[in-house]
Amino acid sequence: MVTAAAAVPFGTRAADHVQDKIDAAKLSGRTETVWLLDGTTGLYLGVVLAVLLLAGLLYEVLPTAKWGRTLGKKLFALEVRDIEGHEPPAFGAALRRWLVYTVPGLLGIGIVGVAWCLFDRPWRQCWHDKAAHTFVAG
């Protein structure tokens, strides 16, 4: 949600910037190459990625590492636990778990990783839990 709030205005600015470059190239009357990624659009993309990382660290990674749950998991009485120690995962495992959940989700293949738990035995782990050696307990 926080990332979307940052992505909309910066995405709009990036699209306007690219459109202005295209319009200027058309008005010049010459054939010109218009790059979609330049210093301006790269900066906007960097801001959105920074917001995504910061929000992920603050909402998902740190609470999972400290308490084994986020606010959403607390509301549903769920906890993330390490497979071997049955304690909350370490920071590195919590970060790996979040990254393996988020990156495929951004690429559009995350639904396969999340649905994986429907067929996995015996832990019913999704890809992000397999990567972090964790499981979700109720």
Side-chain angles (χ1 to χ4, degrees):
M1 190 71 159
V2 173
T3 306
V8 170
F10 286 109
T12 303
R13 289 181 192 166
D16 291 343
H17 174 72
V18 170
Q19 188 60 50
D20 291 345
K21 288 173 39 174
I22 292 170
D23 293 343
K26 285 180 183 177
L27 290 175
S28 72
R30 301 183 320 245
T31 300
E32 292 187 32
T33 301
V34 176
W35 295 96
L36 298 178
L37 187 61
D38 62 8
T40 302
T41 56
L43 176 67
Y44 294 148
L45 177 62
V47 168
V48 172
L49 286 175
V51 170
L52 173 69
L53 287 173
L54 185 62
L57 282 172
L58 292 177
Y59 177 75
E60 182 73 31
V61 177
L62 291 175
T64 299
K66 184 162 178 75
W67 300 294
R69 62 172 86 182
T70 60
L71 178 60
K73 286 180 183 63
K74 185 175 182 172
L75 291 173
F76 289 97
L78 298 173
E79 295 181 351
V80 177
R81 296 293 178 192
D82 179 66
I83 285 180
E84 294 170 6
H86 294 259
E87 296 294 323
F91 178 81
L95 179 62
R96 187 170 47 253
R97 184 178 189 275
W98 177 75
L99 286 172
V100 173
Y101 178 80
T102 302
V103 173
L106 292 173
L107 298 175
I109 60 170
I111 190 71
V112 176
V114 172
W116 194 265
C117 67
L118 298 173
F119 308 104
D120 184 60
R121 298 285 188 263
W123 291 98
R124 294 199 174 269
Q125 293 172 295
C126 298
W127 287 351
H128 54 282
D129 283 316
K130 285 196 172 295
H133 302 288
T134 58
F135 68 99
V136 177

